[in-house]
Amino acid sequence: MIARASQLFLPTLRDDPADAEVASHRLLVRGGFIRQVSAGVWTYMPLGWRVHQKVVQIIREQMDAIGAQEMLAPVLTPAELWETSGRYDLPVVFKLQDRTGRRFVLPMSHEETFTFHGKELQSYKQLPQVWYHFGTKERDEPRPRGGLLRVREFIMKDAYSFDRDEAGLDESFRKHAEAYGRIFERCELEFYEVEAESGEMGGKDSNDFLAPGAGQNFLVRCENGDYAADIEAAHGIPSTADFPAALAAPEEVETPGMRTIEEVSGFLDVDPRATAKAMPVVAEGKVVLALIRGDDRLDEAKLAAVLGQLVRPAHPEEITETFGADGGSIGPVGSPVPVLADEALREGQYVVGANRDDRHLKGAQAGRDFEAEFADLRHVREGDSCPNCGGRLTIEQAIELGHIFKLGTFYSIPFEANFLDEDGTEKPLVMGSYGIGPGRVIAAIVEQHHDEQGIVWPRSVAPYDVHVVALPGVEEQAHEAATALDAAGLSVLLDDRDARAGEKFADADLIGLPVRVTVGKKTVEDGAVDIRDRATGQERRVPIASLGEAF
């Protein structure tokens, strides 16, 4: 096909948008691929939609290859379905009512709807099943930014597997992981499949697919290449604390007005790593004391995963009522509530709050002076040691391309989505959920494939294969060249606008099609054109008559 630029809506811009912080936001807007309607709400312009649909087709082909069946679920969803799953009250969920007062949800994902349809699966003979769709999602994102990276409305491919047991789910999970790898390879992305937290989706295990780039996630990697994880699920070994001389029993000391680890450690002249920070939280109305090393940060996602429920920080009045002291002086020794301590606190003696205002204890030791359940609760830090080999861990920004979950029976049990197994017993369906955001994929491609002039699209997702630039006076030869390329099976963008040569070249570099063909005055003399590879900058001159053989 040949598309004439003079007839297309190609609103390119010379200047960057004022609020653009990342390359993909800047270049997709400047190149006329997307336009913002409101915060986090974007329109795909003609070029952008062609890229989007190419990504969609790659995803569709790989999903179909593992036996998934495409369908389409509605955006408007009865609130009762989300109340059944327990997700209705999530703050990011858009809610509305119709004229009769009936309540609905605009879903951020479709687990509830697909589980509702899964109730029609009655026998083990119908399993396994994998269903997917490309659906519009809505998310009440409080801080939309980054162009297509953090949005309020988006299209997502979400798939759902239905199996009879955990072994079947493991197989469905493996197939999706492999399909995702093929999808991102075809999009020419550098990516990592890593362990992740399930969060508001529910279920147990989940894996993220992260692409290094200016995204909202953080990728943790070992310098030796044998470990990678999303920061919310990453495990790192912290540096060793410099402990003072051991004590036979905790020793209470006055710490007047000291509320922070920095103040306490400085006042007592101890390594901050030899202190412990008490973080009281509330889970299902009950206070739990989380304990981490003084120099660390509590990872609330890890804490919630360990407790199996969402948590919130305890309010000051709850702390005082529970511990008899303010938050800067509480600790695990004599704690009236369960203590959940980070793994780093298993060994050594630490300075902890004494549960008396302006008092701390020196030499507190787990197992001797207080009992605790241990788990990984800390945020990984740059420079931690790798849990596999001891190498140095690094942290970099990344874009979440996709996320796959082992939901298990998290949704099927409350929905009573059961099947009759081979032994005649009724059992809940065992489910998986698998999402990819084409918009995020597009943003990641631009982040990894651009230069100072603009985007450098991989051939697999470029809106057109070839950009034919017609300089003034050679319109007939330019059309001849475009026709030869079209006959060779290539899609062509023919820039036949009445514009200066410099403007056309700048737009060609900005839009970033894989190949530029320039038809100039010299073409009239020798019947040849200049072919330039966008990625490498290499040029060659080829006769128009031979263009079909040049690709």
Side-chain angles (χ1 to χ4, degrees):
M1 65 163 291
I2 301 174
R4 291 181 174 271
S6 60
Q7 299 170 5
L8 295 181
F9 186 30
L10 299 175
T12 58
L13 303 174
R14 298 277 74 83
D15 299 319
D16 294 339
D19 60 341
E21 300 174 348
V22 298
S24 57
H25 183 182
R26 176 169 54 85
L27 294 175
L28 287 170
V29 171
R30 280 191 55 207
F33 292 88
I34 59 174
R35 283 293 184 271
Q36 183 169 306
V37 178
S38 66
V41 180
W42 293 84
T43 292
Y44 284 91
M45 310 303 270
L47 280 187
W49 188 242
R50 286 182 66 86
V51 176
H52 187 280
Q53 293 306 88
K54 284 204 169 184
V55 173
V56 163
Q57 186 58 26
I58 289 173
I59 297 171
R60 176 178 287 118
E61 290 171 5
Q62 296 303 320
M63 292 302 299
D64 291 349
I66 62 171
Q69 305 165 69
E70 185 172 2
M71 48 199 287
L72 179 62
V75 178
L76 195 64
T77 307
E80 307 91 78
L81 296 185
W82 281 66
E83 289 174 329
T84 300
S85 70
R87 297 205 300 168
Y88 181 77
D89 291 324
L90 289 175
V92 293
V93 175
F94 275 108
K95 307 173 182 72
L96 73 157
Q97 294 184 357
D98 67 10
R99 68 185 67 190
T100 68
R102 187 180 180 191
R103 296 170 302 125
F104 292 88
V105 160
L106 301 179
M108 59 187 180
S109 59
H110 274 76
E111 280 76 8
E112 286 79 3
T113 303
F114 275 77
T115 307
F116 170 79
H117 292 302
K119 295 177 68 173
E120 293 192 56
L121 296 170
Q122 298 178 346
S123 169
Y124 74 95
K125 295 180 180 179
Q126 296 172 278
L127 304 176
Q129 291 277 330
V130 179
W131 306 335
Y132 77 100
H133 76 152
F134 292 92
T136 299
K137 316 294 182 186
E138 310 287 346
R139 179 182 176 86
D140 194 1
E141 173 60 56
R143 295 177 302 279
R145 63 177 185 269
L148 299 180
L149 291 178
R150 182 175 281 188
V151 294
R152 309 189 89 192
E153 178 175 287
F154 54 99
I155 294 172
M156 183 169 74
K157 186 287 299 176
D158 42 333
Y160 302 90
S161 63
F162 301 87
D163 287 282
R164 61 189 293 190
D165 52 27
E166 292 291 334
L169 173 58
D170 290 345
E171 179 65 8
S172 293
F173 194 83
R174 180 191 65 80
K175 286 182 177 179
H176 279 83
E178 291 176 353
Y180 276 32
R182 291 190 291 268
I183 289 167
F184 302 135
E185 286 170 0
R186 288 181 61 182
C187 293
E188 297 188 26
L189 282 167
E190 177 191 359
F191 70 94
Y192 296 85
E193 180 184 357
V194 300
E195 179 185 353
E197 293 292 344
S198 295
E200 61 201 12
M201 299 296 292
K204 45 172 190 171
D205 301 331
S206 75
N207 285 6
D208 249 342
F209 291 81
L210 300 180
Q216 308 300 325
N217 288 58
F218 288 91
L219 171 64
V220 179
R221 286 195 284 168
C222 175
E223 62 182 353
N224 297 325
D226 64 344
Y227 181 77
D230 186 293
I231 196 168
E232 291 186 347
H235 304 283
I237 301 172
S239 58
T240 303
D242 183 11
F243 292 106
L247 301 176
E251 176 185 319
E252 185 173 303
V253 293
E254 291 190 16
T255 50
M258 306 297 166
R259 296 291 181 268
T260 68
I261 290 298
E262 292 75 15
E263 292 171 339
V264 172
S265 61
F267 182 75
L268 298 178
D269 193 25
V270 298
D271 183 352
R273 296 174 297 178
T275 67
K277 186 161 40 182
M279 310 285 287
V281 298
V282 177
E284 288 193 344
K286 297 181 180 179
V287 178
V288 176
L289 186 64
L291 197 68
I292 59 174
R293 213 167 72 169
D295 63 324
D296 282 329
R297 288 175 52 213
L298 176 67
D299 189 321
E300 291 191 6
K302 289 182 179 179
L303 178 61
V306 171
L307 294 175
Q309 52 200 278
L310 298 177
V311 301
R312 64 166 175 83
H315 301 311
E317 60 272 17
E318 293 172 317
I319 296 173
T320 303
E321 181 181 347
T322 302
F323 296 93
D326 67 38
S329 300
I330 65 174
V333 179
S335 172
V337 300
V339 178
L340 185 57
D342 184 69
E343 295 283 359
L345 300 175
R346 282 186 181 273
E347 305 294 336
Q349 295 187 350
Y350 294 84
V351 175
V352 300
N355 293 319
R356 296 177 61 196
D357 285 341
D358 298 327
R359 298 286 193 279
H360 279 75
L361 298 176
K362 296 169 63 176
Q365 183 175 319
R368 185 191 71 179
D369 305 314
F370 66 92
E371 295 300 322
E373 179 184 345
F374 289 92
D376 179 20
L377 302 178
R378 63 186 291 273
H379 258 293
V380 169
R381 300 169 65 181
E382 184 95 17
D384 281 352
S385 297
C386 173
N388 290 344
C389 70
R392 185 177 184 275
L393 294 182
T394 61
I395 300 175
E396 60 186 311
Q397 283 184 279
I399 299 168
E400 183 185 67
L401 304 171
H403 204 151
I404 58 178
F405 304 84
K406 291 184 178 180
L407 299 177
T409 57
F410 184 87
Y411 291 89
S412 57
I413 287 179
F415 275 86
E416 298 182 354
N418 303 319
F419 71 99
L420 199 63
D421 207 356
E422 191 173 10
D423 59 5
T425 61
E426 193 175 71
K427 297 178 181 178
L429 292 164
V430 182
M431 294 176 56
S433 174
Y434 317 89
I436 290 181
R440 287 267 187 89
V441 172
I442 291 170
I445 292 170
V446 176
E447 291 293 333
Q448 294 186 7
H449 296 269
H450 74 274
D451 57 23
E452 292 182 359
Q453 284 71 46
I455 303 171
V456 185
W457 289 113
R459 171 80 179 270
S460 60
V461 297
Y464 298 94
D465 297 322
V466 184
H467 199 148
V468 176
V469 175
L471 299 186
V474 291
E475 290 78 8
E476 182 179 341
Q477 290 83 355
H479 182 265
E480 183 183 351
T483 301
L485 293 165
D486 178 48
L490 300 171
S491 58
V492 181
L493 174 59
L494 172 58
D495 191 348
D496 59 343
R497 298 174 299 167
D498 182 15
R500 293 179 292 105
E503 182 179 348
K504 291 188 175 186
F505 287 139
D507 278 351
D509 283 340
L510 177 61
I511 291 170
L513 302 189
V515 177
R516 186 183 79 199
V517 172
T518 302
V519 185
K521 291 182 179 180
K522 193 177 178 181
T523 305
V524 178
E525 302 172 5
D526 63 5
V529 295
D530 292 314
I531 297 179
R532 182 176 184 269
D533 185 279
R534 178 65 181 86
T536 67
Q538 294 180 344
E539 294 191 11
R540 54 198 169 111
R541 194 155 181 84
V542 176
I544 293 177
S546 303
L547 270 179
E549 305 165 8
F551 293 86

